[in-house]
C-alpha cells in the first residue's frame, strides 16, 4: 500500500500583513502540509539584488533562484527540518529564531524567510554557484539521513 501525502501551496500577490519597509516575509509554512509564497515580496527582494550583479546571466537567474529558494526553505519546515519533527543528529537550531538553522549558509537559516534570501542567492551567483543542490547544510542533510535510517 502506498501513502498519500498532500501539500497545499498558496501563491499570492501582495505581502505578509506584518511586513515593514525594513523586513518582508517571502513565504511561510503552516503545520506539515501548507505553505504560502508572497509573489510581490519575492520580486521586490530579487529586484534590489539585481543591480549588484555584474553578469547578465546572474541577473537573469536571481529572481527564479530566489523564488525556488523560498519554496525550499518553506518545504524544509514542512518536512520537519531544524527540530520541527525530524530529530537533529547534532544541535544546530538557532534558539533565538524558532525552527531555523544557526548556520547562515544553510537555506534553513532564519534570515532566509525574508528578503535576505535574495542576498544569499546573490552571493552564491557571484561565487559562480548557479544551482541550489547544496543549499541545505550538512547538519540538515545528516538529520534527514538519520531520520530515513530510523524508519
Amino acid at each position: 500500500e502506498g501513502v498519500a501525502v498532500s501539500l497545499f501551496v498558496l501563491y499570492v500577490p501582495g505581502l505578509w500583513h506584518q511586513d515593514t519597509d525594513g523586513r518582508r516575509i517571502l513565504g511561510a509554512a503552516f503545520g506539515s502540509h501548507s505553505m504560502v509564497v508572497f509573489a510581490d515580496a519575492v520580486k521586490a527582494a530579487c529586484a534590489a539584488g539585481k543591480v549588484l550583479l555584474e553578469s547578465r546571466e546572474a541577473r537573469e537567474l536571481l529572481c527564479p533562484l530566489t523564488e525556488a529558494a523560498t519554496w525550499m526553505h518553506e518545504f524544509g519546515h514542512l518536512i520537519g527540518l531544524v527540530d520541527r519533527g525530524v530529530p537533529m543528529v547534532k544541535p544546530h537550531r538557532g534558539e533565538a529564531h524558532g525552527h531555523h538553522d544557526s548556520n547562515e549558509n544553510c537555506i534553513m537559516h532564519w534570515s532566509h524567510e525574508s528578503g535576505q534570501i535574495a542576498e544569499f542567492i546573490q552571493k552564491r551567483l557571484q561565487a559562480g554557484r548557479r544551482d541550489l543542490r547544496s543549499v541545505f547544510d550538512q547538519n540538515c542533510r545528516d538529520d534527514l539521513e538519520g531520520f530515513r535510517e530510523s524508519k
Side-chain angles (χ1 to χ4, degrees):
E1 285 182 45
V3 175
V5 176
S6 296
L7 171 63
F8 301 96
V9 178
L10 183 60
Y11 191 85
V12 297
L15 305 170
W16 179 257
H17 70 283
Q18 294 178 331
D19 281 350
T20 65
D21 287 338
R23 184 160 189 248
R24 292 215 168 115
I25 299 297
L26 304 189
F30 302 94
S32 61
H33 55 75
S34 302
M35 64 186 249
V36 62
V37 175
F38 299 101
D40 292 342
V42 172
K43 287 177 190 171
C46 65
K50 278 186 174 184
V51 299
L52 303 173
L53 293 168
E54 294 178 15
S55 157
R56 179 176 177 227
E57 178 189 16
R59 286 191 302 273
E60 289 173 356
L61 287 171
L62 182 60
C63 285
L65 290 179
T66 297
E67 182 176 337
T70 300
W71 282 67
M72 292 174 77
H73 176 94
E74 299 311 332
F75 189 72
H77 286 307
L78 295 180
I79 63 172
L81 287 177
V82 197
D83 206 21
R84 195 171 167 175
V86 172
M88 293 186 293
V89 174
K90 290 186 277 186
H92 58 100
R93 179 178 170 183
E95 293 301 322
H97 298 284
H99 295 280
H100 290 101
D101 203 294
S102 58
N103 178 0
E104 67 183 24
N105 293 313
C106 179
I107 196 71
M108 295 308 296
H109 188 259
W110 66 270
S111 66
H112 299 155
E113 71 182 5
S114 69
Q116 291 178 357
I117 199 167
E119 294 172 25
F120 173 70
I121 298 300
Q122 173 201 344
K123 288 175 186 171
R124 291 176 63 87
L125 289 169
Q126 286 173 322
R129 298 168 73 191
R130 308 241 184 294
D131 63 60
L132 296 177
R133 287 182 280 188
S134 63
V135 294
F136 290 101
D137 70 357
Q138 190 63 51
N139 284 324
C140 283
R141 292 192 304 269
D142 289 347
D143 294 348
L144 289 173
E145 182 66 22
F147 185 72
R148 185 182 66 78
E149 289 176 358
S150 73
K151 297 299 170 192

